[in-house]
Amino acid sequence: MSAPTRSNTMPAYDTAFVLGGGGHLGAYEVGMLRALLEAGIKPDLVLGTSVGAINGSVLAADPTEQSVARLAELWSGLSSGGIFEANLFTRLGTAARTRTHMYSNSVLRRMLESDLPVSRIEELAVPFQCVAASIERAAEHWFAEGPIADAVLASCAVPGLLPPVAVGGEHYLDGGLVNSVPVGRAVALGARTIYVLHVGRLEQPLRPPRRAWEVAAVAFEIARRHRFARDMADLPHGITVHLLPTGADADRTTSWAQYVRYRSFDDTRDRIQRAYAASAAYLERARRNRTRT
């Protein structure tokens, strides 16, 4: 689905939260959300990709600090199994049986259906959309209505790890394949102030691949960063974008292995706290600058 164009009948959203993809690193977004809400900043629109769709749907259901505290509990609990709870033999059995993926998405579906107070996107407290990649059309598709669980599962369907999700006669894969940090979508929907919640990859320099399995990871990262850079370069006049910091050590190199280790949740609490502290400091500086001007 192509990005919408503004019209007189399309609602305008002043403040948008854009939550990017990034697997287990999505814990950074929880700290950012806490900082935003504590600063009194609430969204008129929430957009999510992949793991950002999970975090975003929970926030859109209840845009309060209590909701963020619940997200922190959920993320902290993932270190003991969580969404990817299958053991090695189960994963190998799933891969052999399906030939397309290693994990079932049933745990994530149960979590979404049990933890969210409503079942449909249009029933959420704050307007919410998430993106997935349509296999049949080889294009991005934005879910703005319908069952929340189906939409979020489609946005999170990491190729090779989770199964493609069938919705309305089409099959979908992870939204990060087509729009990992959807700033452009927020602009197209009329947002004037956009807060970008990302997982830290944008802060880290790329290097040429050194191993065979790194080639695809580097290629994907180039594609996702190029889309984000283009969206930022094409920002219309009068749009303000805040790229919230993760608080991660910019000099510390994160290996590509960490990007595909979807069971690595050991540093969750630390990631949440670092992102909270860094984002709170950033928002305070931004507030002071607005006051001076």
Side-chain angles (χ1 to χ4, degrees), residues 192-221:
R192 308 295 296 175
T193 303
I194 302 169
Y195 292 90
V196 175
L197 293 74
H198 64 106
V199 301
R201 296 179 187 175
L202 299 174
E203 300 171 344
Q204 297 170 346
L206 287 175
R207 65 168 185 264
R210 299 176 182 175
R211 302 173 182 84
W213 59 266
E214 289 183 337
V215 175
V218 172
F220 173 73
E221 194 64 17

Side-chain angles (χ1 to χ4, degrees), residues 15-99:
T15 301
F17 288 6
V18 172
L19 292 86
H24 68 280
L25 299 178
Y28 285 123
E29 296 176 351
V30 180
M32 295 172 181
L33 288 173
R34 178 185 167 196
L36 284 163
L37 295 183
E38 285 189 2
I41 302 169
K42 292 191 175 183
D44 302 308
L45 172 70
V46 177
L47 302 177
T49 298
S50 195
V51 73
I54 300 176
N55 292 333
S57 64
V58 174
L59 177 75
D62 177 26
T64 67
E65 293 180 35
Q66 287 76 16
S67 179
V68 176
R70 177 57 181 151
L71 271 175
E73 290 177 5
L74 290 172
W75 274 93
S76 298
L78 293 179
S79 59
S80 60
I83 296 170
F84 301 106
E85 64 181 6
N87 60 37
L88 175 61
F89 293 106
T90 301
R91 297 200 305 272
L92 291 176
T94 301
R97 184 178 66 258
T98 67
R99 299 184 181 182

Side-chain angles (χ1 to χ4, degrees), residues 94-170:
T94 301
R97 184 178 66 258
T98 67
R99 299 184 181 182
T100 59
H101 57 275
M102 293 171 49
Y103 296 99
S104 166
N105 61 15
S106 60
V107 176
L108 177 55
R109 178 177 288 278
R110 287 197 301 270
M111 184 193 79
L112 291 167
E113 292 177 344
S114 63
D115 283 18
L116 292 174
V118 296
S119 62
R120 296 184 64 84
I121 293 174
E122 53 268 39
E123 297 171 338
L124 291 166
V126 176
F128 168 79
Q129 297 184 15
C130 64
V131 65
S134 167
I135 294 175
E136 285 82 0
R137 291 183 291 110
E140 68 181 69
H141 176 88
W142 282 92
F143 290 92
E145 59 184 10
I148 300 169
D150 287 347
V152 173
L153 288 175
S155 189
C156 294
V158 182
L161 291 182
L162 291 168
V165 175
V167 182
E170 290 189 51

Side-chain angles (χ1 to χ4, degrees), residues 28 246 252 266-276:
Y28 285 123
T246 61
R252 183 176 60 188
D266 296 340
D267 297 330
T268 289
R269 291 185 183 275
D270 183 54
R271 290 186 183 117
I272 292 173
Q273 183 57 35
R274 281 189 280 130
Y276 165 71

